[in-house]
Amino acid sequence: MKNELDKIYIPSLGELGTYEKWEKSGYFNPDNLNLPIDAQNYTIILPPPNITAKLHLGHSAMLAIEDLIIRYKRLRGFRTLWLPGTDHAAIATQNVVEKKIFKEQGKTRHDLGRDALLKEVWSFLEKTQGEILIQTRRMGASLDWSRLAFTLDNQRQSAVKLMFKEMYEEGAIYRGERMVNWCPRCHSTLADDEVEYKEEKAKLYWIKYGPFVLATSRPETKLGDTAVAVHPDDIRYQKYIGQELDINGVLGVFKVKVVADKAVEMNFGSGVIKVTPSHSFVDNEIAERHNLPGKKIINEDGEMMANCGKYAGLKTAVAREAIVHDMQEMGLIDHIEEDYIHNSSRCYRCDSVIEPLPSEQWFISVDKKIKRLGNKSLKERAIEAAQQNEITFTPERFKKRYIDWMENLHDWCISRQIWFGHQIPVWYKDAEIYCGLEAPKEAGWKQDEDTLDTWFSSGMWTFSTLGWPDNYVDGKKIGDLAKFHPTQVLETGYEIITLWVSRMIMMSIFALNEVPFSQVYLHGMVLDKDGKKMSKSKGNGIDPLEMIEKFGADAVRLSLLMGFTPGNDSKFSEEKIETKRNFVNKLWNISRFILSSSSLDEKTISLNSTPVSRTLADNWILNSLQKTIESVSKNLDEFNFSIAADILDDFTWNQLADWYLEISKIEKNKDDILIFILRKLLIIWHPFTPFVTEKIWGSFNDSLLMVEKWPELQIINSDFQDKTAVEFKIIQDIIVNIRNARSFNKIEPAKKIQAVIYAHGLEKMLLDNQEIIKNLKTGIESLEIRNEGEKINDAIAITVGNIEIFLLGAMDYEKEKERLLKEKENLNKLVNLQEQKLANPEFVDRAPEKIVSLEKEKLSNYKRDLLKVNKTLQEL
RNA sequence: GGGCGCAUAGCUCAGCUGGUUAGAGCACUUCGUUUACACCGAAGGGGUCCAGGGUUCGAAUCCUUGUGCGCCCACCA
């Protein structure tokens, strides 16, 4: 079969149909690939996008990279699984929906109640999830949709429950009163990374505190103080350490202990701090070290508690004013610093000020020694995995970031006081507590109202999607889990290495005692053209769908793959996509040119074996194709996607299109070679630009390109390879120099000139290629090639190595003189430099011999050229 | 405060373990509608590789200091 191609490639016409063809073929599903039993498996689990909003360009980059890897591996004969899914993103999603409801109906979640709110969330979710899946398909992602998962679907729900239960039974999950970040507005704990810090001005109160004067920004917490602390080395306060002091406060005299702790900085403030163990993280740690009691004085609404006398019931900010007022009357305020700048901690959702509170919460213990992990803790195993390179990072520097973060990890608070998410599978009845997969049968049990941190379920993503726990029987993996876990690569943005990557590693280690992936590849962020983060509120975002409509998915993919190196952010603009669109069109037209040859018949078109090369150019291009295949394969194997694309781009445009196709118009009968190259080229480009390559392939093949075989690395025999490259370079140089000379001398392109070439030993080679030299945009009317001859006056003289070229009939003496003078100057400089270098005994004695001889050769070449130029100049 | 990264052509960036005259795309200048492509072709101009110091026969590349950006973590009483 052979169908004519249109003059310009219009992506929007064919992409949907092409994707449909792929999907219908069933080849996205590894079970349908016709592979030998011993084919290796290759798995990537797609980082599930949040269903809070449509996809942005960051997601597109992720899809482009992962699809590139997967398509490449599929072509190389791996049993590839790329598994799709979405993330319920508990807090984020509930927040979006809450805001929406408040805007539309003026109601809060408490007005609606749990069930009604959840109903709203689910209907919201259905809509955005649909949009996300459409966007993903439009990018060309070859995901196995038959295995689509959601972090909160039924299967994942039962997996999460079991995981919780197992961890609870091992003691890896516990309930306890700990300091948490509490948002009084959302009524929920926040993870450390959900807290944002904002610099702002506040008042700093210097208060009289027994024998001390100390600074505080929160005088109301004085009611909860149980100690003061100083640095152990601070000579000013040595005598107080260990004493118990009576302190005068707004509610009367109370006792504090003086402790010495290194957390206190001597040079900050007065070097004395008050310790409020129940309402400050630092103070809490000090209290733990010194065994100090805590006193809770602020409740979950951010109000002063009953134990605060007349201040009870006041919001903390109000209480602060009142207490400062009273302290001033009592003469307890030394002075007040007005413009004190500090960081206030805020809720990342509602911007409320965070209250650190002791609260009853569920935690994952990262330090507990766990029997099934050989009496190591989750933290130890997770660090070990990176240190011993069970998991490697690209780029490598993120290994350090991961390990540093892991080492400082505190117990992970996994309970959240929101409604959307996995409800904690624990039931209470009076003092009894039950953890299980379902509610106890008897009446009177009440389930814990809290839900789990969203990262708990997404931490299980690599194995919950592969059928854990059903596929894990008596400690043995079966089915998909056995085939596809551990996965090969986790590809994601570097910003969630701590939030997500680390959690997946811990969860997988606990559940399966194996790492979830062997390789972590981290991409950077896609920024706008000014280097700012794209965001909806700033309105600087670029909508991927719009770009796909305009330029095609292939162009969008290429723009995100090229010039994008691992771990580095990339500034992005529409122009970049445009240039890639141009390339896609170029590839289209190259194919169109090759396929439109009238002599192409069915036999040639289906030809798959290496054609015999007949000329130097044939040899050169096949040789070059082979090198390209080799180095593209190597770079893809090493995740150097951008470099691989650059190499391919260079071959396709600068070698094939600019040279070989032009030559093929001169040296005829290259159909077999051209079609051979085209076949290989389409296969290699396919992982980058799947749509256009599949479309072209489909115009002369009945099979699908996506499951073709990657070319063998050795396509031609390697004899004379180097000779070929050198010889063809000479031809190229001759041509370029002639064009150059024409351009410099302003010889009109249409004007035909005569040329005489003295080949000095390369006569035969040049004669073999004289048609090319004559016709390849050099505008030569007659060409004479001889081994040597007399110098021709009245002609533009060019030298290429030993070869002398004279262009007759278009001499402009002034121009030519100018050119030669410039060349002379340049050569003089080079000769000087080179002589200096070679006169340096240290260089000659100590540099490798190869380098020295190379440099010597260079010098003699320069000198020879200089002689020639001088001679010509004289003659002019 | 601790850690990491970046600084190369007007712009966006490549340049791995040091070795021909430092590259690409875009932009710019000149020329060109040759039957694959104007989403094109030919030729060209443009760089003290942030600064200082060091290692080396040789440094954009390695070490060190400084400057200017960016990010991550901790959080200041």
Side-chain angles (χ1 to χ4, degrees):
Chain A
M1 69 182 274
K2 175 180 154 188
N3 300 324
E4 290 280 317
L5 300 176
D6 296 331
K7 189 166 174 178
I8 281 181
Y9 174 62
I10 302 168
S12 54
L13 287 182
E15 290 187 349
L16 286 176
T18 304
Y19 195 85
E20 212 169 288
K21 250 207 237 164
W22 288 331
E23 217 178 331
K24 273 198 189 137
S25 77
Y27 291 136
F28 290 169
N29 183 340
D31 303 335
N32 298 334
L33 292 168
N34 308 313
L35 294 168
I37 313 164
D38 60 346
Q40 273 181 278
N41 299 312
Y42 198 94
T43 322
I44 298 178
I45 311 285
L46 177 77
N50 289 356
I51 39 86
T52 44
K54 290 191 294 184
L55 301 186
H56 51 72
L57 272 175
H59 292 113
S60 306
M62 166 183 89
L63 292 168
I65 294 168
E66 291 176 27
D67 196 45
L68 167 65
I69 302 173
I70 283 292
R71 283 183 189 269
Y72 171 61
K73 292 292 176 183
R74 191 183 294 120
L75 291 167
R76 295 217 75 165
F78 285 80
R79 187 176 290 107
T80 46
L81 169 63
W82 187 22
L83 196 150
T86 49
D87 190 340
H88 71 289
I91 294 185
T93 305
Q94 180 171 320
N95 196 36
V96 168
V97 176
E98 271 188 63
K99 269 189 189 154
K100 189 168 155 265
I101 292 171
F102 191 79
K103 209 173 148 195
E104 288 167 5
Q105 311 172 20
K107 287 182 179 166
T108 68
R109 68 165 148 148
H110 299 288
D111 297 333
L112 283 177
R114 187 167 193 141
D115 290 343
L117 179 86
L118 286 181
K119 224 174 133 189
E120 292 272 0
V121 175
W122 280 102
S123 77
F124 167 84
L125 186 158
E126 216 162 282
K127 191 169 154 273
T128 50
Q129 195 174 34
E131 283 176 33
I132 288 170
L133 298 184
I134 288 170
Q135 282 182 301
T136 308
R137 285 180 158 90
R138 290 302 304 274
M139 278 297 290
S142 57
L143 287 152
D144 179 6
W145 297 107
S146 72
R147 288 176 165 88
L148 180 68
F150 175 52
T151 54
L152 194 58
D153 59 18
N154 288 335
Q155 218 182 317
R156 261 44 67 177
Q157 292 216 22
S158 40
V160 163
K161 278 184 217 162
L162 184 70
M163 185 82 185
F164 188 99
K165 181 168 180 268
E166 285 191 8
M167 293 185 90
Y168 178 75
E169 282 165 2
E170 284 268 7
I173 284 182
Y174 66 92
R175 192 166 185 244
E177 179 151 281
R178 294 297 220 83
M179 290 294 292
V180 295
N181 300 297
W182 181 266
C183 174
R185 214 269 338 165
C186 303
H187 253 248
S188 179
T189 52
L190 294 175
D192 291 344
D193 32 58
E194 288 166 342
V195 178
E196 283 174 359
Y197 294 91
K198 270 195 185 164
E199 210 169 69
E200 62 180 34
K201 275 184 191 172
K203 288 178 182 167
L204 186 65
Y205 304 89
W206 290 75
I207 61 180
K208 292 176 182 163
Y209 209 96
F212 312 110
V213 173
L214 56 81
T216 178
S217 59
R218 300 199 59 188
E220 75 278 13
T221 61
K222 188 178 174 187
L223 303 178
D225 288 355
T226 56
V228 291
V230 298
H231 195 277
D233 301 337
D234 199 328
I235 39 169
R236 291 172 293 180
Y237 306 118
Q238 287 296 322
K239 60 178 176 182
Y240 297 108
I241 295 172
Q243 284 188 20
E244 202 167 65
L245 303 174
D246 286 330
I247 303 294
N248 201 9
V250 285
L251 294 178
V253 175
F254 61 101
K255 287 187 187 304
V256 297
K257 205 174 157 192
V258 183
V259 298
D261 197 286
K262 283 187 182 151
V264 185
E265 264 185 61
M266 283 188 272
N267 344 332
F268 191 92
S270 58
V272 185
I273 62 168
K274 57 194 221 45
V275 181
T276 321
S278 294
H279 298 288
S280 151
F281 283 95
V282 176
D283 294 7
N284 190 266
E285 279 172 23
I286 294 175
E288 261 178 34
R289 284 194 284 270
H290 300 278
N291 227 345
L292 301 167
K295 187 181 171 196
K296 193 175 169 186
I297 55 159
I298 298 169
N299 69 12
E300 278 71 12
D301 294 320
E303 291 164 352
M304 307 307 287
M305 293 178 19
N307 57 3
C308 296
K310 60 177 175 173
Y311 308 107
L314 296 179
K315 293 272 180 200
T316 48
V318 182
R320 184 178 313 152
E321 298 288 324
I323 289 173
V324 167
H325 178 262
D326 293 348
M327 285 174 77
Q328 260 166 338
E329 298 223 316
M330 294 169 73
L332 288 175
I333 302 273
D334 189 83
H335 66 283
I336 300 174
E337 222 174 281
E338 291 287 343
D339 290 337
Y340 172 67
I341 293 170
H342 79 141
N343 274 332
S344 86
S345 49
R346 303 287 188 135
C347 173
Y348 85 110
R349 285 184 287 158
C350 68
D351 209 38
S352 303
V353 175
I354 297 298
E355 274 311 330
L357 286 179
S359 172
E360 192 71 358
Q361 301 290 340
W362 288 97
F363 294 88
I364 287 182
S365 168
V366 294
D367 292 313
K368 182 176 164 79
K369 309 281 181 193
I370 292 170
K371 229 187 279 164
R372 61 204 271 182
L373 303 182
N375 262 332
K376 288 181 179 163
S377 68
L378 282 172
K379 187 192 266 188
E380 285 167 332
R381 279 291 289 120
I383 292 172
E384 220 173 74
Q387 275 171 345
Q388 298 178 359
N389 293 327
E390 288 172 68
I391 299 173
T392 55
F393 290 82
T394 309
E396 227 174 324
R397 68 185 132 95
F398 287 102
K399 173 178 173 177
K400 184 176 157 53
R401 187 188 280 192
Y402 167 79
I403 291 177
D404 284 353
W405 188 81
M406 257 302 162
E407 279 171 346
N408 294 315
L409 188 64
H410 298 289
D411 282 0
W412 167 21
C413 177
I414 51 170
S415 44
R416 295 287 182 278
Q417 289 65 49
I418 57 165
W419 295 336
F420 183 57
H422 294 271
Q423 198 169 347
I424 290 175
V426 168
W427 286 260
Y428 308 99
K429 184 181 177 185
D430 305 323
E432 274 183 281
I433 181 164
Y434 170 81
C435 174
L437 305 182
E438 278 171 45
K441 294 261 164 16
E442 321 98 72
W445 287 90
K446 195 167 178 294
Q447 186 170 6
D448 195 311
E449 295 234 325
D450 292 355
T451 50
L452 288 168
D453 179 12
T454 186
W455 300 108
F456 189 95
S457 53
S458 47
M460 299 169 59
W461 194 235
T462 61
F463 53 93
S464 71
T465 49
L466 291 173
W468 188 91
D470 294 344
N471 281 340
Y472 196 59
V473 182
D474 301 327
K476 279 225 171 70
K477 297 184 287 179
I478 58 168
D480 273 6
L481 194 62
K483 265 198 221 165
F484 300 115
H485 203 278
T487 66
Q488 271 58 53
V489 188
L490 175 79
E491 194 284 334
T492 190
Y494 65 79
E495 73 275 9
I496 53 174
I497 180 168
T498 51
L499 283 171
W500 188 44
V501 178
S502 61
R503 265 107 197 217
M504 280 198 283
I505 294 171
M506 287 192 287
M507 296 300 250
S508 172
I509 284 173
F510 186 90
L512 300 163
N513 205 357
E514 71 183 18
V515 295
F517 28 73
S518 42
Q519 212 23 277
V520 178
Y521 178 96
L522 298 156
H523 64 249
M525 281 188 300
V526 183
L527 307 172
D528 75 1
K529 58 172 175 290
D530 302 319
K532 299 250 163 56
K533 224 172 165 171
M534 288 189 187
S535 74
K536 239 191 288 173
S537 54
K538 272 188 226 144
N540 61 349
I542 297 178
D543 179 20
L545 262 189
E546 201 181 297
M547 293 300 109
I548 291 172
E549 298 283 343
K550 204 163 165 189
F551 300 109
D554 290 330
V556 173
R557 291 167 63 115
L558 267 189
S559 68
L560 291 163
L561 289 167
M562 299 178 79
F564 208 12
T565 44
N568 293 328
D569 298 344
S570 168
K571 287 178 198 165
F572 200 80
S573 61
E574 200 170 317
E575 290 86 77
K576 193 171 170 190
I577 310 179
E578 204 178 330
T579 67
K580 300 309 167 195
R581 185 272 317 263
N582 294 353
F583 172 78
V584 171
N585 190 58
K586 186 76 182 180
L587 183 60
W588 175 264
N589 269 295
I590 289 169
S591 311
R592 197 162 76 94
F593 174 73
I594 294 175
L595 292 170
S596 68
S597 167
S598 57
S599 64
L600 268 184
D601 55 25
E602 297 283 325
K603 235 162 76 193
T604 330
I605 267 182
S606 56
L607 181 97
N608 210 6
S609 56
T610 311
V612 180
S613 66
R614 293 166 287 267
T615 68
L616 176 65
D618 297 346
N619 243 326
W620 164 76
I621 196 71
L622 289 170
N623 194 1
S624 176
L625 174 65
Q626 168 158 329
K627 278 187 191 146
T628 303
I629 294 170
E630 273 171 25
S631 83
V632 167
S633 307
K634 182 169 169 281
N635 279 294
L636 286 180
D637 287 337
E638 292 168 359
F639 293 153
N640 296 322
F641 310 125
S642 187
I643 296 174
D646 280 343
I647 292 165
L648 250 182
D649 181 292
D650 178 64
F651 174 80
T652 310
W653 202 316
N654 301 336
Q655 299 181 52
L656 180 63
D658 289 350
W659 286 95
Y660 193 71
L661 292 193
E662 293 304 322
I663 289 171
S664 79
K665 294 173 187 170
I666 299 158
E667 295 178 346
K668 301 283 180 186
N669 302 323
K670 292 190 183 300
D671 294 342
D672 55 340
I673 296 177
L674 287 170
I675 204 82
F676 175 81
I677 294 172
L678 180 62
R679 282 180 173 281
K680 303 301 171 199
L681 197 62
L682 290 175
I683 298 172
I684 314 173
W685 269 116
H686 184 256
F688 298 91
T689 55
F691 286 108
V692 68
T693 49
E694 188 72 77
K695 175 99 180 173
I696 298 165
W697 186 266
S699 77
F700 68 107
N701 287 284
D702 294 320
S703 60
L704 273 181
L705 175 59
M706 71 171 282
V707 286
E708 270 298 310
K709 280 214 166 58
W710 190 259
E712 300 291 327
L713 298 188
Q714 193 71 29
I715 55 170
I716 57 169
N717 75 44
S718 52
D719 295 352
F720 305 115
Q721 273 186 25
D722 292 338
K723 197 175 162 226
T724 297
V726 170
E727 286 185 346
F728 192 76
K729 181 78 172 38
I730 292 170
I731 303 293
Q732 280 183 312
D733 282 351
I734 291 172
I735 291 170
V736 168
N737 273 290
I738 293 173
R739 288 175 184 166
N740 182 345
R742 286 191 69 126
S743 173
F744 184 83
N745 286 286
K746 293 231 158 38
I747 303 170
E748 284 170 30
K751 177 158 188 182
K752 297 282 178 184
I753 54 172
Q754 286 85 49
V756 177
I757 299 180
Y758 298 150
H760 293 284
L762 293 168
E763 194 181 7
K764 182 173 180 313
M765 199 267 283
L766 294 192
L767 281 171
D768 283 347
N769 292 285
Q770 58 178 324
E771 287 306 311
I772 296 176
I773 296 171
K774 208 170 144 184
N775 293 316
L776 216 57
K777 299 178 186 176
T778 45
I780 292 172
E781 193 162 40
S782 76
L783 174 65
E784 194 188 327
I785 296 171
R786 266 187 282 149
N787 214 17
E788 46 202 298
E790 299 258 311
K791 158 111 184 74
I792 302 173
N793 293 320
D794 230 25
I796 299 168
I798 310 164
T799 55
V800 174
N802 285 321
I803 299 165
E804 293 175 88
I805 304 163
F806 299 96
L807 302 179
L808 289 74
M811 184 69 157
D812 179 330
Y813 287 93
E814 287 311 306
K815 282 270 175 192
E816 180 63 5
K817 218 168 169 178
E818 197 187 319
R819 186 182 73 83
L820 289 171
L821 281 171
K822 210 169 162 189
E823 198 176 334
K824 181 181 167 181
E825 190 190 339
N826 201 14
L827 283 168
N828 267 323
K829 232 193 270 172
L830 289 170
V831 167
N832 277 337
L833 269 171
Q834 209 57 20
E835 276 176 341
Q836 266 175 35
K837 198 170 193 176
L838 288 165
N840 184 348
E842 303 214 61
F843 172 74
V844 181
D845 294 344
R846 299 178 60 180
E849 207 177 306
K850 216 170 81 187
I851 302 287
V852 176
S853 72
L854 210 75
E855 300 291 329
K856 277 185 180 161
E857 198 186 316
K858 235 162 54 181
L859 178 63
S860 73
N861 283 340
Y862 293 153
K863 279 185 168 166
R864 193 201 55 217
D865 291 350
L866 192 59
L867 268 175
K868 273 188 196 166
V869 168
N870 275 332
K871 218 171 135 194
T872 318
L873 267 173
Q874 269 174 18
E875 284 158 5
L876 281 176

